[in-house]
Amino acid sequence: MSQPAHFPELKAIPAELKSALSSEIIALGFVVVENSDPLEKSDAKTEKEFKLVGSTLLLKSIAETFGIDLLDELKFFTPTGKAGESFELPISAPDTKTERLMLVGLGDQSIAALRAAGATVGRKVKGKAQSISTFCATSDANATAHAISATMGAYIWNLKSGPKPLKPTIYLSISTLALKRTLAIAAAVWRARDLVHTPANIKTPAWMAANAKTVAKERNISIKVIAGKELAPFGGLVAVGNSSRKSPPRFIEITYAPKGSSNWPHVVLVGKGITFDTGGYSMKRPYDMMMAMKTDMAGAAAVLSVVSALPELAPRVRVTALLMCAENAVSGTAQRPSDVITHFGGTTTEVLNTDAEGRLVLADGLAYANLKLKPDYLIDVATLTGSATLGLGRQYAAMYSRDDKLAAKLHELGNESGDRVWRMPLINDYIDSLESDIADINNTADKGDYNAGSVTAALFLEKFVGDRKWVHFDIAGTGRSEVDAGENPKGGTGFGVRLLTTWISSL
Ligand code: BES
Ligand code: MN
Ligand code: ZN
């Protein structure tokens, strides 16, 4: 299987010294231990105590081989024990390649802490031809999360003309099955990030379609792309996308349905694929707001990447991804505020604000899924509203659903996978804010003064989902990171890939 460019080499190794000595860096985890002796506790000056995590045999042989008292050395750094903090020791011994030991804080050793530690490990070798062995995680579930985060931390992307970034090697103390899962999911996160980072002059809707075709061919999954006159039934996609003559819209349908899958549950994922969002005539102001808008297709990138991972993960679930790709430009063919458009299935929308374009393209995708594909689950992923970021910041995506059980499950898997989501309410009282005098619905909340942009956007989408089990993820905050830190680079995060692959595998 082909990996994105510069994707690290990942290898499974046993937790023993022999296998670690072929790497330049060895990462070991440590934790702060509470002093449980009541007599010592009464002493105000009790020092913090630390404990190294992992196989006693491995720890012992490292100490012996390199003639080093790890705990003593660690104390010298006055660590806090916080997950992801790290300290380095130069070490050497005859006939070994290893030259550094990295001691990594594991916090409370929760899965979230193991992810933070993983990001630190990956960042250490990012863009370098170096190798690191990590022994931070002890259970297989933790090891998978740790390994995926390590691979995420090593992410690098640029279009510089100089030498290309180098490929690191990450040795993981993990089962071969867990390694396979890690490879599939981490490569999918990289793929999504690559798509998000690509600038809009390259990443036209046609380019997105070509990319999806490559994925489909590689993975032996089926694909259908609709362009030009045949797009007519998709009124929202056409109205938004015809604003750009140079980069006209594409509807992309990619389906994972192996032989014998006809009676498996069917999931349809709809992704917002706005390759650049100027706002159209309702232009984004201040213009700084426009700078990040090449990332407005992060939903489409996520759902495509999820499907790309399925042949390896092999869930007994049929999955169709619909990528609603269009550029929202300003031109003589752009839509006007006050236009009325007809979506797939016939619902009409009065376009009050051309910057609320994501919901227009999603409406066609959701209606197509509901009416034509009749899925058991209908999920959309979209960088839909600035309000979602105002409400929840950049660590949690906003989740909307009428289905309590499904929402609870996705919330739980969000914490487990690292793509955290918070359920928001579909407030019926706000539905009337979308009433239009001349069409079935307005594309923005014009009436009432509810100030709940992410909620009213979700209520707009709900009009197109029929009676399906539907979930909407507003990833405007989580799809892009403003800082290069932890698991995320500055730019596209690949949010949604871990959550959706984990959820689909659980069905
Ligand atoms: N793509 C934007 C939402 C967005 C904003 C994503 C900032 C990421 C960062 C979306 O198309 C948009 O413009 N939404 C408007 C809706 C409004 C006009 C009702 C918004 O949130 O301001
Ligand atoms: Mn917009
Ligand atoms: Zn947008």
Side-chain angles (χ1 to χ4, degrees):
M1 138 183 145
S2 85
Q3 310 278 5
H6 331 302
F7 189 79
E9 288 291 331
L10 301 181
K11 290 182 179 145
I13 52 164
E16 60 186 35
L17 185 67
K18 193 162 65 84
S19 48
L21 290 181
S22 56
S23 69
E24 288 148 274
I25 312 167
I26 297 177
L28 292 174
F30 72 91
V31 292
V32 177
V33 282
E34 287 293 321
N35 196 332
S36 56
D37 184 334
L39 284 175
E40 281 195 31
K41 221 174 191 174
S42 63
D43 178 357
K45 274 200 244 150
T46 303
E47 278 180 30
K48 263 188 198 158
E49 290 205 16
F50 303 100
K51 197 176 141 248
L52 290 164
V53 171
S55 129
T56 27
L57 197 65
L58 173 73
L59 297 174
K60 213 173 127 217
S61 27
I62 287 177
E64 279 168 9
T65 308
F66 298 101
I68 190 171
D69 183 335
L70 292 170
L71 275 180
D72 237 32
E73 299 279 351
L74 179 63
K75 276 183 198 148
F76 176 75
F77 292 111
T78 59
T80 65
K82 199 171 166 239
E85 80 177 328
S86 68
F87 307 97
E88 281 180 59
L89 296 169
I91 51 173
S92 68
D95 304 322
T96 66
K97 220 180 147 188
T98 312
E99 52 193 41
R100 267 180 296 162
L101 197 76
M102 190 162 85
L103 295 165
V104 187
L106 298 185
D108 60 0
Q109 277 186 281
S110 62
I111 196 160
L114 267 302
R115 277 196 299 266
T120 299
V121 168
R123 280 182 171 273
K124 195 74 233 159
V125 291
K126 165 179 176 164
K128 299 177 190 150
Q130 277 185 346
S131 52
I132 189 164
S133 298
T134 170
F135 299 100
C136 294
T138 45
S139 77
D140 221 30
N142 279 355
T144 310
H146 179 73
I148 293 173
S149 296
T151 318
M152 287 168 74
Y155 182 78
I156 193 159
W157 189 95
N158 65 58
L159 293 176
K160 290 180 195 291
S161 61
K164 294 285 156 228
L166 299 169
K167 222 185 223 302
T169 304
I170 307 176
Y171 293 98
L172 304 155
S173 175
I174 199 174
S175 70
T176 39
L177 202 74
L179 176 68
K180 198 174 165 212
R181 231 184 117 64
T182 297
L183 268 169
I185 296 175
V189 171
W190 272 56
R191 184 185 295 284
R193 288 176 172 188
D194 285 353
L195 292 170
V196 177
H197 279 87
T198 302
N201 63 321
I202 298 173
K203 178 177 61 188
T204 62
W207 183 93
M208 288 289 290
N211 209 287
K213 276 184 181 162
T214 309
V215 170
K217 205 164 165 198
E218 257 174 43
R219 301 300 150 91
N220 201 15
I221 44 193
S222 61
I223 184 165
K224 182 166 100 184
V225 176
I226 305 180
K229 286 201 174 68
E230 279 161 54
L231 274 180
F234 301 86
L237 192 67
V238 169
V240 175
N242 278 0
S243 63
S244 174
R245 278 232 221 160
K246 220 172 126 190
S247 318
R250 293 287 187 279
F251 171 84
I252 305 164
E253 177 174 354
I254 174 163
T255 310
Y256 168 75
K259 266 208 186 81
S261 66
S262 57
N263 58 353
W264 295 359
H266 187 198
V267 171
V268 174
L269 307 172
V270 184
K272 171 174 173 182
I274 299 298
T275 56
F276 197 83
D277 182 11
T278 63
Y281 279 116
S282 315
M283 195 172 280
K284 287 206 176 293
R285 283 157 295 177
Y287 296 120
D288 282 3
M289 302 282 295
M290 218 186 271
M291 285 303 292
M293 285 303 132
K294 69 169 183 183
T295 65
D296 211 17
M297 37 56 76
V303 300
L304 171 63
S305 302
V306 166
V307 175
S308 80
L310 297 180
E312 275 115 37
L313 298 173
R316 293 177 64 81
V317 181
R318 275 185 300 147
V319 181
T320 304
L322 306 178
L323 281 59
M324 310 304 294
C325 293
E327 184 177 336
N328 191 21
V330 186
S331 76
T333 54
Q335 61 180 338
R336 293 144 290 251
S338 81
D339 281 2
V340 175
I341 60 178
T342 304
H343 292 286
F344 192 94
T347 302
T348 57
T349 295
E350 183 180 359
V351 181
L352 296 184
N353 188 322
T354 62
D355 197 12
E357 84 298 340
R359 62 196 76 180
L360 300 179
V361 304
L362 289 172
D364 288 325
L366 291 168
Y368 175 86
N370 174 41
L371 300 169
K372 292 278 171 199
L373 305 177
K374 305 180 168 49
D376 298 298
Y377 298 95
L378 179 52
I379 316 283
D380 74 77
V381 188
T383 47
L384 206 61
T385 67
S387 313
T389 321
L390 284 179
L392 294 169
R394 296 201 175 273
Q395 303 299 320
Y396 282 81
M399 168 173 64
Y400 295 86
S401 181
R402 297 275 178 193
D403 191 311
D404 294 345
K405 219 175 120 193
L406 184 55
K409 178 92 185 159
L410 285 161
H411 177 256
E412 181 196 318
L413 294 181
N415 292 337
E416 193 180 307
S417 69
D419 285 346
R420 293 175 295 177
V421 298
W422 196 262
R423 189 179 183 192
M424 301 274 283
L426 288 156
I427 303 169
N428 289 329
D429 290 354
Y430 296 177
I431 293 176
D432 60 14
S433 68
L434 293 164
E435 269 170 21
S436 162
D437 298 334
I438 58 169
D440 296 333
I441 194 165
N442 274 335
N443 82 327
T444 54
D446 181 40
K447 308 204 166 59
D449 208 1
Y450 301 122
N451 285 314
S454 177
V455 177
T456 50
L459 289 169
F460 175 89
L461 296 180
E462 193 179 25
K463 183 133 182 107
F464 300 88
V465 303
D467 294 326
R468 303 290 154 198
K469 276 192 179 148
W470 164 69
V471 182
H472 159 56
F473 291 111
D474 190 335
I475 62 161
T478 54
R480 179 174 56 90
S481 172
E482 300 226 294
V483 288
D484 182 15
E487 288 171 340
N488 293 325
K490 185 169 191 275
T493 58
F495 187 94
V497 170
R498 286 183 296 179
L499 172 58
L500 291 172
T501 47
T502 307
W503 173 65
I504 289 166
S505 306
S506 80
L507 287 176

